Amino acid sequence: MSIYQENMGIFQFFQHARRILFNFFYMFKSGEYAAKPFGIKFEVSSLCNLKCIMCPLSKGLKRKQGVLSFKKFKQVFDQINPSYLNLTGIGEPLLNKDLFKIIRYARKNSSIVKLDTNATLLNKDNSTNLLNSNPNIISVSIDGVDKKSYEKIRKNANFESVISNLKNLIDLRNSRKYKTKIHINFVMQKENLKDLVKFLEFADSFGVDAINGDIALPLGANKNIQNRNINKNLLISLKKELKNLKLKTSLNIEHVREFIDCEGDIFKQRKKNCFYPWYYPSITWDGNLVPCCYVCDNEVVFGNVFEEPFMKVWNNKKIRKFRKILATERKGICKDCFIDESYLYKRISLLSKIPLIRKISKRNWN
């Protein structure tokens, strides 16, 4: 789901209208240059207390590991003042002592802030401090419906503890009337696929604001090869079950549905449109600007925004070449990515109906 679609209410749209319109224009043009991005994925930590089987950390990263300092965060944030900030990455954000300070600063400066956490460290103090820092969304990662399935995927985690932490977070949010939305996020893979519908019903019982899901794909040294060999009869059965599923909670699992619909052929995504390098890049904890979080081990680095001004890196020769290629086809590491921004494509493509405007675009809108 596009971050515009997920986070833009009427108030937020008008508050960030100028940035949105500029980004839409540059996405439509799909040329070599881009305006200041609407959103940033900023890696708060590449350290983690878990070794999840689908994560590149379970195989080891080649790049350095560490945590983002508030000083370095502020240095870059002040240059961009992004409308949307996703504090995520390879590691667990709550291992960063500057996390709450980072969130408070971004919220004070009108950013919409989303945080992804495995919830193992969400004790009472951390939950209180986190809610007090006022993020817009806290997304809790849970990949199993019971202790056995969850702990087989989330190595070193304790199922009962995580579920207790999630319930306490929800109770605290509700009792003190915090406005923060709480989501559950899961990564679908061979180990939990058979329990998909059961898991969605389980997640629906907590009273969270949304259930989000993605599929496990090759990341860094972890190729997740087992997820390419899925029983076709199971996928057909799940497709029928999902059609009859009724939930109270908002469900955002487009990539999971597509994986099931195309019977596990994840590579059909190669022809889907991606606009990330025009409006939503990722920055590692040590300042490397990369196309997105799918590039998890510095496979493609455009430059370092701690060493050079952000906009200089954002439109340097290397990223301009990358955009030129991506506007016409997915090559290299982008071929295996699941990102599908059809939502944005359909809306931006309306501009292509205007002959004079169509001529300035480098993308095929047919």
Side-chain angles (χ1 to χ4, degrees), residues 44-62:
V44 190
S45 169
S46 65
L47 304 176
C48 193
N49 55 335
L50 303 185
K51 292 289 183 183
C52 305
I53 61 172
M54 67 288 188
C55 178
L57 281 178
S58 65
K59 301 291 184 181
L61 289 181
K62 296 177 183 177

Side-chain angles (χ1 to χ4, degrees), residues 121-132:
L121 303 176
L122 268 181
N123 55 36
K124 185 176 180 181
D125 286 344
N126 278 339
S127 293
T128 301
N129 288 331
L130 185 55
L131 288 169
N132 282 338

Side-chain angles (χ1 to χ4, degrees), residues 43 46 61-65 90 284-286 296-298:
E43 185 177 61
S46 65
L61 289 181
K62 296 177 183 177
R63 64 180 171 100
K64 291 191 303 181
Q65 292 182 261
I90 291 300
T284 63
W285 71 273
D286 52 350
C296 67
D297 207 5
N298 286 352

Side-chain angles (χ1 to χ4, degrees), residues 87-283:
L87 297 174
T88 185
I90 291 300
E92 168 54 43
L94 285 165
L95 289 171
N96 187 330
K97 62 180 178 59
D98 286 345
L99 175 64
F100 309 129
K101 190 175 181 181
I102 287 170
I103 296 173
R104 285 195 299 270
Y105 187 80
R107 292 292 294 125
K108 182 181 177 181
N109 287 277
S110 301
S111 282
I112 299 166
V113 178
K114 177 174 178 278
L115 172 81
D116 297 302
T117 176
N118 61 37
T120 56
L121 303 176
L122 268 181
N123 55 36
K124 185 176 180 181
D125 286 344
N126 278 339
S127 293
T128 301
N129 288 331
L130 185 55
L131 288 169
N132 282 338
S133 65
N134 193 31
N136 298 82
I137 301 170
I138 300 171
S139 178
V140 175
S141 299
I142 301 176
D143 302 309
V145 72
D146 54 34
K147 183 177 180 67
K148 183 178 179 181
S149 61
Y150 172 82
E151 293 181 6
K152 189 173 182 180
I153 293 171
R154 296 265 162 180
K155 299 289 186 180
N156 301 334
N158 179 277
F159 180 72
E160 292 88 355
S161 177
V162 167
I163 296 303
S164 176
N165 288 347
L166 173 60
K167 289 179 177 179
N168 290 335
L169 179 70
I170 295 169
D171 289 344
L172 184 63
R173 188 273 305 266
N174 293 345
S175 65
R176 299 189 183 180
K177 294 183 170 47
Y178 289 102
K179 295 182 179 180
T180 299
K181 295 182 182 297
I182 299 173
H183 293 185
I184 288 178
N185 185 76
F186 71 94
V187 180
M188 192 197 74
Q189 50 205 288
K190 191 171 185 177
E191 295 294 340
N192 62 9
L193 182 59
K194 63 180 175 58
D195 294 325
L196 175 61
V197 173
K198 187 178 178 183
F199 173 83
L200 293 175
E201 292 172 338
F202 171 68
D204 187 47
S205 69
F206 287 98
V208 294
D209 299 284
I211 304 168
N212 307 315
D214 281 318
I215 58 176
L217 287 172
L219 283 171
N222 194 345
K223 301 307 178 185
N224 284 308
I225 295 172
Q226 70 277 11
N227 296 315
R228 303 182 197 179
N229 184 25
I230 303 292
N231 184 288
K232 298 294 188 294
N233 290 329
L234 174 59
L235 292 173
I236 292 169
S237 175
L238 284 173
K239 187 175 180 179
K240 292 178 181 178
E241 290 182 51
L242 285 173
K243 282 185 178 179
N244 299 320
L245 184 66
K246 303 294 183 183
L247 301 178
K248 302 185 296 292
T249 311
S250 174
L251 187 61
N252 308 307
I253 58 168
E254 291 89 345
H255 299 132
V256 174
R257 290 185 188 277
E258 180 162 306
F259 179 89
I260 292 171
D261 289 344
C262 68
E263 297 184 356
D265 185 0
I266 60 176
F267 301 107
K268 285 188 177 180
Q269 289 283 14
R270 288 176 176 174
K271 295 183 180 180
K272 301 296 184 181
N273 283 277
C274 173
F275 298 97
Y276 273 22
W278 284 269
Y279 82 107
Y280 189 36
S282 293
I283 303 174

Side-chain angles (χ1 to χ4, degrees), residues 266-274 328-330 334-335 337 339-340 342 345 363:
I266 60 176
F267 301 107
K268 285 188 177 180
Q269 289 283 14
R270 288 176 176 174
K271 295 183 180 180
K272 301 296 184 181
N273 283 277
C274 173
T328 57
E329 62 176 321
R330 292 195 180 192
C334 296
K335 288 171 69 174
C337 177
I339 289 298
D340 173 13
S342 297
Y345 180 86
R363 194 177 290 259

